[in-house]
Amino acid sequence: MTPETLDKPDLVLHGHFDKDHERRYAHVPFDVPAGRRQIHIRYSYNDQIDSDPTLGGGNTLDIGLFDERGIAESSAGFRGWSGSEKMEFTIDESWATPPYRKGKIRPGGWHVLLGPYKVGPRGCDWKVEIWFDPGVPSPWRGVGISRRVDPDPLPEARPGWLRGDLHCHTLYSDGDSWPPEMLSAAGAAGLDFLGVTDHNNVGHQLAYGPGGDGLPIVVPGIEVTTYGGHWNAWGTDRWWEFREPESKAVERTIRAAAESGAVVSICHPKPFGPPWEYEGVTGFHAVEVWNGPWAQQNAASLAFWESLLRRGDRRVALGGSDTHYLHGRNLGARDADRLGAPTTWVQVGDRPTAKTILEALREGRSFVSESPGGPQLYLEPDRGRAGRVSVEVRGGAGGRLELVTDTATPVVRMVDGDAWDDAFEVPAGAAYVRAQLTSARGDVRALANPVWAERL
Ligand SMILES: [Zn+2]
């Protein structure tokens, strides 16, 4: 029995969402009889369009599943959420379609979670079909970890610094690869760590394992994906509430994640990121100022971050490639996905672990560059003299180094060699100073976190 040859379903649920239900989750109850070992769910709806935020005029319906343990916040009954990516999935006692969780099929009241992300002019008529014990065989075969490829030699970092990518997706959400493939691709790209952030699930974390031992260190994370914006949390092994797209609820969850020890970052606050719609929400550590190639609207994310800095709101800048596809798939700009574009560099000293990487991220001992090859940009208080900073640029010949403060016009120097450094007087009264390296076209090639005045 394969999903293509299923008989009539045991249960059919259906309903309708109007435009005024857009972006509000619904929990549709159904009963699971005793003695079952497998559930297969398939759904469909009219006027289906892709979840790409640039598309409108039709319907995009997300789906997830809760078992009999209930739908409450942080419930252990959350069996997974696949967005609009999978039109059917199986949960068996001994296996499940990723990102869903395998495990006991207990009798009782279960819920299909339906999220009308977009509702078109004709409304959304949906149908969910459910089979109990249809006998779908496991599609899992040994997913061979691809041969390890030694990366091309990259320019050396300063001692104690690591390079990594903080944002990627696998088959556990809307990517096209298995976690071991993603990890070995990150190794081949020359990265020392990989933040793993599938949407609204943590099932991928087990499939990755801890990394290290010749592969990049895994920094376990999740992209909490809500209808008003996305946020990443790293250093957490549980799902976080995503069903309430309201500022108050989002801030409450962000604060809870931060208090649990996670590093929290707002993702891609720029047009079509999708953007961040929760004005005034705080409690996060960082902003993903650089998501994918710089030219893809990242100047808007940088402006968002800088407006926080100017208010004295100390958030750390970091980057992530948001890689979805290792095997090529024709989805326009997303073809440009490349691990390490951009790369986030962190200072961890002589103990490279997920924990020290998280600490460096939280504290902003980091900078971002266009690729694992650099350019490298180190900004620090000048050890020799108070009121000054020193800047070292490696591999940035031909670029423009800009020193930005909240009070004066940026100071600009041309970087005339691949091993370049200089020191700068910081204008009196400046609250912070930060540095960026730009190309002749004005694209940012590297971006350093600020030094705040009290350290000068
Ligand atoms: Zn996202």
Side-chain angles (χ1 to χ4, degrees):
M1 186 72 64
T2 66
E4 295 79 50
T5 58
L6 290 171
D7 293 335
K8 263 178 49 153
D10 297 301
L11 265 181
V12 181
L13 313 169
H14 48 83
H16 178 87
F17 290 121
D18 282 324
K19 184 82 182 167
D20 66 1
H21 209 286
E22 196 173 65
R23 295 178 167 219
R24 280 170 42 219
Y25 277 99
H27 300 85
V28 185
F30 66 98
D31 278 320
V32 173
R36 304 304 159 124
R37 305 170 66 95
Q38 187 182 78
I39 293 184
H40 185 79
I41 293 182
R42 176 186 291 167
Y43 79 122
S44 56
Y45 52 97
N46 62 302
D47 302 341
Q48 187 173 347
I49 57 171
D50 190 80
S51 63
D52 182 330
T54 60
L55 300 176
N59 299 319
T60 302
L61 186 61
D62 294 334
I63 193 165
L65 188 68
F66 287 88
D67 69 21
E68 87 295 343
R69 287 170 287 182
I71 63 173
E73 181 164 351
S74 78
S75 167
F78 180 60
R79 299 297 283 255
W81 177 92
S82 49
S84 55
E85 188 59 24
K86 295 188 165 72
M87 299 313 293
E88 58 188 308
F89 55 89
T90 310
I91 295 188
D92 185 278
E93 283 192 345
S94 59
W95 63 275
T97 311
Y100 290 90
R101 281 173 39 216
K102 68 180 181 183
K104 286 258 180 282
I105 310 296
R106 294 193 194 82
W110 290 45
H111 289 85
V112 175
L113 176 68
L114 290 179
Y117 177 41
K118 297 178 203 164
V119 178
R122 301 201 305 158
C124 179
D125 291 307
W126 57 265
K127 180 167 82 168
V128 174
E129 298 170 291
I130 301 172
W131 288 260
F132 298 115
D133 288 354
V136 177
S138 168
W140 291 79
R141 284 171 289 275
V143 179
I145 296 188
S146 3
R147 188 173 53 85
R148 252 185 63 207
V149 185
D150 285 331
D152 292 336
L154 293 171
E156 262 188 53
R158 275 190 182 177
W161 286 76
L162 301 179
R163 62 196 105 195
D165 192 336
L166 288 166
H167 194 157
C168 66
H169 297 274
T170 67
L171 286 164
Y172 281 75
S173 57
D174 49 352
D176 72 353
S177 314
W178 295 98
E181 295 179 285
M182 185 62 74
L183 195 60
S184 74
L191 299 174
D192 303 311
F193 64 90
L194 181 67
V196 302
T197 52
D198 276 302
H199 296 286
N200 290 343
N201 290 285
V202 289
H204 58 282
Q205 293 181 1
L206 279 177
Y208 272 108
D213 205 14
L215 286 166
I217 297 165
V218 171
V219 182
I222 178 172
E223 183 170 13
V224 182
T225 304
T226 81
Y227 290 147
H230 304 174
W231 50 278
N232 274 335
W234 301 273
T236 182
D237 61 1
R238 50 156 285 191
W239 71 282
W240 294 94
E241 184 56 68
F242 60 89
R243 293 168 291 176
E244 278 184 87
E246 309 291 339
S247 291
K248 253 173 88 177
V250 168
E251 177 158 331
R252 185 164 43 81
T253 316
I254 282 178
R255 286 188 180 281
E259 272 159 32
S260 79
V263 172
V264 173
S265 169
I266 289 178
C267 297
H268 44 64
K270 59 180 182 176
F272 314 120
W276 182 251
E277 299 174 9
Y278 304 116
E279 264 188 59
V281 164
T282 182
F284 51 90
H285 303 98
V287 177
E288 188 185 54
V289 299
W290 193 339
N291 173 283
W294 179 264
Q296 286 176 13
Q297 312 255 16
N298 284 294
S301 304
L302 179 62
F304 172 88
W305 176 60
E306 187 126 58
S307 72
L308 297 178
L309 298 183
R310 283 174 184 258
R311 295 204 302 257
D313 199 352
R314 301 186 179 195
R315 310 296 159 182
V316 169
L318 48 78
S321 70
D322 214 346
T323 291
H324 285 71
Y325 307 116
L326 297 180
H327 301 298
R329 185 168 132 177
N330 190 16
L331 267 183
R334 281 195 167 170
D335 281 340
D337 284 355
R338 198 153 45 87
L339 276 168
T343 293
T344 301
W345 304 63
V346 293
Q347 185 186 26
V348 298
D350 55 7
R351 289 181 305 125
T353 63
K355 185 162 175 280
T356 56
I357 293 165
L358 289 166
E359 281 164 9
L361 289 172
R362 191 180 289 115
E363 290 164 18
R365 282 180 272 120
S366 56
F367 64 87
V368 189
S369 72
E370 66 189 6
S371 81
Q376 298 175 47
L377 174 55
Y378 301 95
L379 170 71
E380 58 200 340
D382 188 355
R383 284 198 203 99
R385 287 173 56 189
R388 288 161 60 96
V389 287
S390 67
V391 179
E392 182 189 358
V393 180
R394 297 188 183 185
R400 287 160 46 99
L401 190 279
E402 300 174 14
L403 215 69
V404 182
T405 67
D406 57 328
T407 50
T409 26
V411 174
V412 177
R413 300 273 166 81
M414 297 312 292
V415 174
D416 56 10
D418 275 331
W420 184 92
D421 60 80
D422 207 344
F424 298 83
E425 198 85 34
V426 179
Y432 65 88
V433 54
R434 66 173 189 84
Q436 62 192 28
L437 183 78
T438 61
S439 69
R441 273 180 34 187
D443 285 344
V444 171
R445 299 190 60 207
L447 179 80
N449 269 298
V451 173
W452 292 86
E454 73 269 9
R455 289 186 60 211
L456 295 172

